[in-house]
Amino acid sequence: MEIFNWKEILLPYEQAVNELIVKFNSIKQEYKIKGMHSPIEQVEGRVKAISSIIGKANKRNIPVEDVFEKLEDISGIRIICRFVEDIKKVVFIIRERVGKDMEVIQEEDYITNTKESGYRSYHLTIKYPIFTVDGRKDIKAEIQIRTLAMNFWATIEHSLRYKYNGNIPDELKERLQVCAEAAFMLDTEMTTIRDELLEAQKIVQIKNNLVNEIINNIHNLYFYAKVEKMNEFNQKFIELYQESNVDKLFEFNRQLEIMTRLYKVKYV
């Protein structure tokens, strides 16, 4: 068997994973900055352990020297979504990047075509270019896109497969299938109240932004108003926050802004 410098060979795969995580987290952040619902809830990635690479090669009767050509999931990222509809949006985002910074070479829809085990997820295999000291290298990477419920089930199923060395007892398989359907029913039910959940999320974000503005205005007043009044402002803010009345918080913030402008004129 050829002796590999595994660390050196896997380094480009690690670079690809790190870059892809940054890219998709940036997309998530852009949605949030624009005040829009992000279809991306969480991004994580990994490069397969050497033992896993060799084990998979043996299982598929692939010579070790050919694994980097024939295995497509040595590097991979997982994108977690809140809703099933978000998965379609993420797939669209990835397709839009084709010809720019990645190429889709395969798609597998395990949501429409659920695996017998109950596994649901959407897989894309891509080629992603990275640039090393030796020049450009196209890395194959697998992108898995799934909901929080799908990911919870898949994580449990993976752990059990590992425990039983891939031979999960039939009774346990049946229970896992029931759990998979329950998880999908949860996703389906969440879809029916998606608009209300997004509206609630928007209200929370508005309130958080408002609270930040109020705190900032109170801090500004420290520089222009009498210090003894600060306790009054802080106490009023705490009372209104506990009351959880957004309209009153807006009015309080408006008064703070007026006071800040007045004290600036007086003391500047």
Side-chain angles (χ1 to χ4, degrees):
M1 180 186 295
E2 182 180 351
I3 298 175
F4 291 104
N5 184 339
W6 286 98
K7 186 174 182 179
E8 181 179 338
I9 293 174
L10 292 177
L11 188 60
Y13 291 87
E14 293 174 3
Q15 183 178 333
V17 167
N18 291 336
E19 289 186 14
L20 287 167
I21 290 174
V22 169
K23 283 179 185 288
F24 286 103
N25 272 327
S26 294
I27 293 171
K28 171 185 173 181
Q29 187 64 18
E30 185 179 356
Y31 272 96
K32 291 192 172 182
I33 289 173
K34 291 182 177 180
M36 302 167 61
H37 165 68
S38 172
I40 299 172
E41 178 70 16
Q42 180 182 337
V43 185
E44 53 192 37
R46 60 97 186 103
V47 174
K48 271 188 180 297
I50 297 170
S51 58
S52 296
I53 295 172
I54 295 173
K56 193 165 188 177
N58 289 338
K59 186 176 180 180
R60 295 189 179 183
N61 295 317
I62 299 173
V64 176
E65 58 269 20
D66 294 336
V67 294
F68 301 102
E69 179 62 32
K70 295 187 177 180
L71 291 186
E72 298 175 336
D73 62 344
I74 292 177
S75 59
I77 67 166
R78 185 172 298 141
I79 299 175
I80 311 299
C81 306
R82 286 193 181 187
F83 305 103
V84 177
E85 291 83 354
D86 292 337
I87 295 175
K88 298 176 184 178
K89 179 64 177 176
V90 174
V91 172
F92 176 79
I93 289 171
I94 294 171
R95 289 173 181 162
E96 284 287 289
R97 301 186 79 100
V98 171
K100 299 173 184 176
D101 60 356
M102 63 184 67
E103 175 190 351
V104 176
I105 58 178
Q106 186 176 359
E107 294 189 32
E108 297 169 297
D109 182 357
Y110 296 121
I111 298 173
T112 303
N113 305 299
T114 310
K115 285 189 175 184
E116 184 180 352
S117 64
Y119 177 84
R120 287 178 170 91
S121 187
Y122 200 101
H123 292 192
L124 297 99
T125 303
I126 66 168
K127 276 187 180 179
Y128 179 76
I130 65 161
F131 298 88
T132 72
V133 293
D134 297 318
R136 171 173 169 156
K137 185 175 179 63
D138 291 330
I139 298 295
K140 288 183 181 179
E142 182 180 73
I143 302 177
Q144 298 177 351
I145 314 167
R146 56 178 69 149
T147 64
L148 290 159
M150 292 174 191
N151 190 58
F152 175 74
W153 181 92
T155 301
I156 300 301
E157 194 265 353
H158 178 79
S159 298
L160 289 172
R161 260 195 299 117
Y162 183 82
K163 175 182 178 180
Y164 291 101
N165 198 25
N167 299 309
I168 300 176
D170 290 340
E171 181 185 356
L172 196 50
K173 282 184 182 178
E174 292 176 6
R175 291 167 65 185
L176 279 170
Q177 289 169 342
V178 171
C179 290
E181 291 309 307
F184 191 67
M185 286 181 66
L186 173 61
D187 276 332
T188 303
E189 188 62 27
M190 291 293 283
T191 296
T192 65
I193 58 173
R194 179 177 182 270
D195 290 342
E196 273 129 37
L197 287 170
L198 292 179
E199 183 63 26
Q201 180 183 0
K202 185 176 180 180
I203 290 171
V204 169
Q205 187 61 50
I206 289 172
K207 185 177 178 181
N208 288 340
N209 292 340
L210 181 57
V211 166
N212 289 335
E213 287 182 20
I214 289 172
I215 292 173
N216 187 55
N217 281 325
I218 290 175
H219 285 172
N220 286 337
L221 280 168
Y222 272 105
F223 294 100
Y224 303 108
K226 292 182 179 179
V227 174
E228 57 264 26
K229 287 190 175 182
M230 292 304 103
N231 288 335
E232 295 178 22
F233 297 147
N234 285 323
Q235 186 59 39
K236 182 66 174 176
F237 166 61
I238 292 171
E239 290 172 2
L240 292 176
Y241 184 83
Q242 290 175 339
E243 189 177 338
S244 197
N245 187 314
V246 175
D247 290 335
K248 288 184 178 180
L249 284 169
F250 266 115
E251 177 59 25
F252 178 58
N253 188 51
R254 189 184 69 84
Q255 293 173 5
L256 289 174
E257 289 175 343
I258 292 171
M259 291 174 64
T260 301
R261 287 196 296 269
L262 288 173
Y263 277 112
K264 279 184 179 180
V265 171
K266 183 176 180 181
Y267 291 102
V268 172

